[in-house]
């Protein structure tokens, strides 16, 4: 077996963003979309590091609970992927 088998390749290992890395991407984009709302500073790039177009969710009025939930899940999944 080559080292290639031990390497994470997003498009191969996370089809349709259904994996922990995809969940991290999803919750990161949710948090970035809150920052993109009127009166907030724009933080998100137009394209991800892998060159893929980022998908944005339109959130009209984020509640504190929505922000907290997205942050908690993001923190949880980063912990999972670290292991």
């Amino acid at each position: 077996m080559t080292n290639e088998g031990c390497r994470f390749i997003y498009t191969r290992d996370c089809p349709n963003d259904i994996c922990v890395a995809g969940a991290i991407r999803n919750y990161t984009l949710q948090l970035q979309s809150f920052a993109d709302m009127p009166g907030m500073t724009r933080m998100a790039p137009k394209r991800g590091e892998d060159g893929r177009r980022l998908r944005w969710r339109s959130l009209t009025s984020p509640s504190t609970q929505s922000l907290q939930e997205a942050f908690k899940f993001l923190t949880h999944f980063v912990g999972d992927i670290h292991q």
Side-chain angles (χ1 to χ4, degrees), residues 25 29 32 44-49 52-56:
R25 182 184 189 99
L29 292 174
Q32 288 174 333
K46 295 218 184 240
R47 294 196 176 266
E49 290 180 19
R52 290 175 38 176
R53 199 176 78 197
L54 296 174
R55 289 182 297 222
W56 295 86

Side-chain angles (χ1 to χ4, degrees), residues 21-73:
I24 289 171
R25 182 184 189 99
N26 174 37
Y27 285 108
T28 298
L29 292 174
Q30 284 186 43
L31 290 170
Q32 288 174 333
S33 70
F34 291 125
D36 204 30
M37 298 186 85
M40 301 294 234
T41 304
R42 181 173 172 78
M43 296 170 45
K46 295 218 184 240
R47 294 196 176 266
E49 290 180 19
D50 60 2
R52 290 175 38 176
R53 199 176 78 197
L54 296 174
R55 289 182 297 222
W56 295 86
R57 292 187 177 201
S58 57
L59 300 168
T60 53
S61 62
S63 66
T64 302
Q65 182 178 356
S66 297
L67 282 166
Q68 288 174 342
E69 182 178 294
F71 186 72
K72 286 177 184 178
F73 275 105

Side-chain angles (χ1 to χ4, degrees), residues 8-23:
F8 178 78
I9 300 171
Y10 194 90
T11 54
R12 178 192 71 190
D13 299 325
C14 194
N16 301 314
D17 297 331
I18 302 175
C19 69
V20 173

